[in-house]
Amino acid sequence: MSLKKGTGSMELGECTRNPGYQDVEGGGSAAETINADPGEKHDSTALKLDQDLAAEEYTQIKPYAGMPKEVLLQYSSQARYRVPREILFWLTVACTLVLVALTITVIALSPRCLQWWQASPVYQVYPRSFKDSNGDGVGDLKGIQEQLDHFLYLNIKSVWISPFYRSPMKDFGYDVEDFQAIDPLFGTMQDFEELLAEMHNKGLKLIMDFIPNHTSDQHRWFNLSRTRDPHYKDYYVWTDCNATSPRPNNWVSVFGNSSWTYDDVRGQCYLHQFLKEQPDLNFRNPNVYKEMTDIIHFWLEKGVDGFRMDAVKHMLEATHLRDEPQVDPNKPAESVKTEFDLHHDYTYTQLGLHDLLRSWRAVLDVYSREPGKYRFMVMESYDYQEVEKTMMYYGTPLVRESDFPFNFYLLYLPQNTSGLWVKDLVHLWMANMPRGKWPNWVVGNHDKPRIASSAGQTYIRVINMLLLTLPGTPTTYYGEEIGMENINVTDSQIQDPAGKYNASASRDPERSPMQWSGDMNAGFNIKTNITWLPVHPDYRSVNVEVQKTDEGSVLAQYRFLNTLRQSELPLHRGWFCYVHADASVFSYLRELDGLDRAFLIVLNFGKESATTDLSSVRELPDQFQVLMSTNQINKGKVLQKSRILTEAGEGLVIRYSTHTRFNPNHPEQCYVSEKACYLSAMDILYKC
């Protein structure tokens, strides 16, 4: 410690690191001057001297760690410190603004992300036939859970499961006794919840069947309605009729004969547009609408990801109950027994139907607000030649309805296997679909013959290629990925109620057990030798296990195409353009603006080999290489565009490099749901 003379103050000189901190001329330090006791008295001269001395000392002090704020402020105001600081500040502000503007621009210009139901095919599981876990011969929910990895193997994310509600099984689950219970044949509610949780853990989505048009005649509502309970008496469509001739009008059931059945308990007839065990609900009663809406809430609360709305065109009927006009006016009235004998002016797609469906869409939209939890809705409506009625299920530009109605027109493909016919079926949907909507494609389901049987095994591969390279969402019925065919069912083996009424109308052949392996019962039931329907005799060669080991199998090609579809932008959201169709070949392009590669698809649906000349398509390169062929020996071949050879039932996927787009010069031949362009410099999509 040292005592400076002449100041009367003391400082720790040994601890001072900054020489500028010492007295200038032996006086006290600047710090002492600043921190002088405010109570100390100085005369005005001494005070002025101290201030001058402090000012002189400040000019000599260098910045040091731990300096008091007065010293810091002294230096921070100097230009050499202030200017760089201000430059850095404004650079930071400018960079922040640029980043914010860039982020807003990218968001504004980015096209909408595809939803899960757009990115993946929808795979239909018929639960009775998928996998039996307990050995009773009937598939169940635990069986589905055991096979979830099959969907992952196929790169499928969307799984639609046909009805598993409690049911008397007169129509195998489409006659519902309790909409909020699981039929014991399929398991328990706990089994369902475990299945749903495991599906979500694996990134899979579950779509349920919802059956709004009718219930089972064993449903509690119907039993209360037939006894004229005050609340339930109008839950169904009743009318006066004669017990000996119960036909209030000429309306007919989908399954044939009259839509009316006399009920002895109530003393009236009730309407059923399907089986007599499936009475139609009366949606003109607001209580019925509320009950069915509550059921939708029940399953959405459980966590299901969407609904397939069954038979929606039947939900409302004209209240006047007049006879419907006959297709053939000269046909005797007593001979009118099928739905195709009448024009269904009073029973199908009645005024008010779409208001009901759009209100349910609004319910699903509320549950869709949770990020990553979009709730999907698809309609089932066979409208045959009246395609404009089907398109109404898309909704309007102002009011949404379904995400899409099922497109059943490819079910007609086997009627005429030719390139021109396939193009006509595809164009029927594309030309009538509202602008900007999302297409979909169905070639088989639980009500129609398997495509491998109706079109022939020769065409199953090329049909799968068509499904997975067209724009939109393909639907795959279980077994189509391995080329399963219909089974032969004898009269004694018929299980389908429709088949028991008319053996030729039986839907059993397309519902046989899934062929998992060459083991007992095709691996469907490995515990007992029981199956609810016979297994197809070809199961030892046509099954999942054996096709996994064969790179040229139907399964391997399905998996490759689905993976390609999801990984290539032109295939899952690019332009679709017709380039050629003739008696054998249907060909089209898939391309994306800004991307330097595109795909040419060439499909031979004819009965013999064909050579396709695309030399008139100037946007194509003169030669290209086959990325995939349904005929393995042609994979990797280099082809000339003037001579593309395909065998009957062969399909080609050709990927080629180009900077020339086809769609700008041929807008009438091209379609895109939502236009997007690719910016290679940033590897992003943007609206264009």
Side-chain angles (χ1 to χ4, degrees):
M1 181 180 293
S2 62
L3 183 64
K4 302 287 184 180
K5 295 180 180 180
T7 63
S9 62
M10 187 182 299
E11 110 181 43
L12 299 175
E14 292 84 355
C15 297
T16 301
R17 304 284 182 148
N18 192 327
Y21 195 81
Q22 306 301 320
D23 293 338
V24 180
E25 294 178 350
S29 71
E32 287 176 311
T33 304
I34 295 168
N35 296 310
D37 185 354
E40 187 175 353
K41 297 181 179 180
H42 299 279
D43 58 27
S44 59
T45 303
L47 180 59
K48 185 176 184 303
L49 182 61
D50 285 344
Q51 291 173 340
D52 292 343
L53 180 59
E56 183 179 358
E57 289 178 313
Y58 267 57
T59 62
Q60 299 180 36
I61 296 174
K62 298 178 181 178
Y64 61 93
M67 71 182 79
K69 66 179 181 180
E70 290 82 3
V71 178
L72 179 63
L73 291 171
Q74 177 74 16
Y75 279 91
S76 64
S77 61
Q78 294 180 11
R80 58 176 174 169
Y81 296 107
R82 187 185 69 254
V83 172
R85 185 172 67 249
E86 291 179 353
I87 291 173
L88 288 173
F89 171 77
W90 289 112
L91 278 176
T92 302
V93 171
C95 290
T96 301
L97 292 174
V98 169
L99 286 173
V100 170
L102 183 61
T103 302
I104 293 172
T105 301
V106 169
I107 293 173
L109 293 179
S110 294
R112 181 180 55 85
C113 294
L114 295 184
Q115 295 284 358
W116 54 266
W117 51 272
Q118 297 172 306
S120 165
V122 172
Y123 187 104
Q124 183 189 356
V125 170
Y126 193 66
R128 295 182 70 94
S129 301
F130 198 65
K131 184 69 167 69
D132 175 18
S133 70
N134 59 8
D136 65 355
V138 178
D140 46 49
L141 297 179
K142 282 189 176 294
I144 297 173
Q145 186 171 342
E146 289 175 3
Q147 298 296 336
L148 291 182
D149 286 344
H150 180 62
F151 307 130
L152 301 182
Y153 177 78
L154 294 175
N155 294 304
I156 283 173
K157 304 299 182 186
S158 309
V159 181
W160 156 33
I161 304 178
S162 293
F164 44 80
Y165 304 105
R166 183 185 294 276
S167 167
M169 297 296 166
K170 296 297 184 181
D171 191 18
F172 292 142
Y174 286 94
D175 51 320
V176 181
E177 182 180 343
D178 187 344
F179 284 100
Q180 298 182 5
I182 307 296
D183 194 276
L185 191 67
F186 300 123
T188 65
M189 185 61 76
Q190 182 178 345
D191 293 338
F192 168 78
E193 291 169 351
E194 289 176 358
L195 169 63
L196 181 60
E198 187 62 18
M199 288 182 68
H200 286 170
N201 287 340
K202 293 179 178 290
L204 301 172
K205 304 292 186 179
L206 190 153
I207 302 166
M208 282 185 64
D209 248 315
F210 184 65
I211 306 157
N213 180 69
H214 49 263
T215 70
S216 164
D217 61 354
Q218 302 300 308
H219 198 289
R220 183 177 65 90
W221 300 343
F222 186 73
N223 288 323
L224 290 168
S225 184
R226 66 201 301 234
T227 58
R228 298 181 185 265
D229 179 280
H231 182 75
Y232 293 97
K233 64 178 181 179
D234 294 326
Y235 265 46
Y236 296 84
V237 181
W238 297 94
T239 190
D240 293 330
C241 65
N242 188 326
T244 58
S245 181
R247 189 165 176 159
N249 56 34
N250 70 345
W251 296 359
V252 295
S253 161
V254 169
F255 291 120
N257 292 327
S258 176
S259 291
W260 298 95
T261 292
Y262 181 78
D263 180 67
D264 292 330
V265 175
R266 177 147 171 162
Q268 285 185 305
C269 283
Y270 63 88
L271 177 70
H272 55 88
Q273 295 191 63
F274 292 86
L275 296 174
K276 65 182 178 63
E277 293 86 0
Q278 296 170 290
D280 275 35
L281 287 164
N282 176 19
F283 273 94
R284 300 194 186 280
N285 181 341
N287 291 324
V288 171
Y289 168 76
K290 182 180 183 304
E291 293 268 20
M292 298 306 285
T293 304
D294 288 344
I295 291 166
I296 291 176
H297 280 287
F298 174 82
W299 291 106
L300 290 174
E301 291 292 339
K302 289 282 185 185
V304 301
D305 300 289
F307 294 101
R308 174 252 190 194
M309 302 288 187
D310 177 71
V312 291
K313 73 177 183 180
H314 300 274
M315 286 174 58
L316 288 173
E317 306 79 28
T319 57
H320 53 63
L321 304 185
R322 296 173 190 159
D323 281 355
E324 293 189 309
Q326 293 183 194
V327 173
D328 179 3
N330 299 318
K331 189 172 186 176
E334 59 273 15
S335 300
V336 174
K337 293 185 177 180
T338 75
E339 64 172 325
F340 301 106
D341 291 331
L342 298 173
H343 294 293
H344 296 279
D345 296 347
Y346 308 138
T347 53
Y348 294 177
T349 321
Q350 295 298 291
L351 186 66
L353 169 65
H354 291 284
D355 293 330
L356 289 173
L357 299 176
R358 289 166 191 171
S359 70
W360 285 342
R361 170 76 265 173
V363 172
L364 269 66
D365 285 344
V366 171
Y367 286 85
S368 298
R369 292 172 185 169
E370 185 180 352
K373 294 290 186 180
Y374 183 83
R375 308 305 173 99
F376 169 71
M377 187 165 78
V378 57
M379 303 299 182
E380 184 222 30
S381 181
Y382 288 91
D383 293 303
Y384 305 105
Q385 291 82 9
E386 297 177 300
V387 64
E388 66 281 355
K389 288 187 176 180
T390 304
M391 296 303 164
M392 292 175 68
Y393 294 105
Y394 275 113
T396 70
L398 298 178
V399 184
R400 296 177 63 239
E401 197 165 323
S402 69
D403 292 295
F404 54 71
F406 271 137
N407 171 7
F408 295 120
Y409 291 98
L410 285 185
L411 293 171
Y412 300 115
L413 190 151
Q415 294 181 7
N416 180 3
T417 50
S418 75
L420 285 168
W421 176 242
V422 177
K423 180 189 175 182
D424 286 347
L425 294 177
V426 171
H427 190 64
L428 178 64
W429 192 268
M430 303 301 279
N432 287 281
M433 185 176 62
R435 182 179 178 85
K437 295 299 183 180
W438 189 259
N440 74 102
W441 314 95
V442 177
V443 296
N445 60 31
H446 61 288
D447 287 330
K448 301 297 178 182
R450 288 191 174 275
I451 195 69
S453 294
S454 56
Q457 266 292 346
T458 301
Y459 301 98
I460 184 62
R461 297 166 186 264
V462 73
I463 289 171
N464 279 340
M465 182 175 284
L466 173 73
L467 275 180
L468 293 166
T469 56
L470 284 172
T473 298
T475 298
T476 293
Y477 182 51
Y478 83 95
E480 285 176 356
E481 74 273 28
I482 58 173
M484 280 179 60
E485 296 185 79
N486 289 350
I487 59 170
N488 293 319
V489 180
T490 65
D491 289 349
S492 62
Q493 293 173 320
I494 290 176
Q495 302 291 323
D496 183 20
K500 291 179 178 179
Y501 169 75
N502 177 3
S504 65
S506 175
R507 298 164 294 179
D508 290 334
E510 57 263 26
R511 297 176 177 181
S512 62
M514 178 65 177
Q515 294 163 207
W516 294 105
S517 68
D519 298 333
M520 179 177 69
N521 301 321
F524 166 73
N525 175 10
I526 60 176
K527 294 184 176 180
T528 62
N529 195 19
I530 303 172
T531 57
W532 77 284
L533 280 173
V535 174
H536 198 288
D538 71 359
Y539 75 91
R540 288 185 175 86
S541 58
V542 180
N543 64 67
V544 172
E545 186 176 82
V546 73
Q547 290 194 17
K548 278 186 175 180
T549 63
D550 180 3
E551 292 184 359
S553 67
V554 177
L555 178 67
Q557 292 185 356
Y558 181 99
R559 182 173 184 246
F560 175 85
L561 285 167
N562 190 32
T563 302
L564 185 71
R565 174 186 179 274
Q566 295 181 43
S567 62
E568 288 286 355
L569 286 170
L571 289 176
H572 71 259
R573 67 180 309 156
W575 286 92
F576 165 77
C577 300
Y578 305 108
V579 293
H580 180 81
D582 59 28
S584 296
V585 172
F586 175 40
S587 182
Y588 48 90
L589 293 176
R590 302 303 310 278
E591 62 184 21
L592 185 73
D593 294 321
L595 197 64
D596 61 358
R597 63 182 181 276
F599 291 85
L600 170 66
I601 313 299
V602 182
L603 309 173
N604 188 338
F605 288 95
K607 300 186 182 305
E608 56 189 22
S609 61
T611 300
T612 304
D613 181 5
L614 298 181
S615 56
S616 62
V617 185
R618 59 183 180 83
E619 291 85 358
L620 289 173
D622 291 335
Q623 66 178 29
F624 27 59
Q625 189 174 33
V626 176
L627 175 66
M628 177 198 167
S629 170
T630 55
N631 185 350
Q632 280 289 93
I633 63 173
N634 291 328
K635 179 182 178 181
K637 277 190 176 181
V638 176
L639 302 176
Q640 303 296 318
K641 73 173 178 180
S642 59
R643 185 175 174 80
I644 304 174
L645 178 64
T646 52
E647 301 296 327
E650 183 180 7
L652 305 177
V653 176
I654 298 168
R655 182 168 58 191
Y656 61 94
S657 298
T658 181
H659 292 285
T660 304
R661 298 273 77 85
F662 182 87
N663 70 82
N665 301 321
H666 309 273
E668 71 286 350
Q669 295 175 236
C670 296
Y671 159 86
V672 68
S673 177
E674 183 178 354
K675 188 177 178 182
C677 295
Y678 178 73
L679 182 61
S680 58
M682 298 183 66
D683 191 27
I684 61 170
L685 289 174
Y686 64 96
K687 295 177 184 177
C688 53

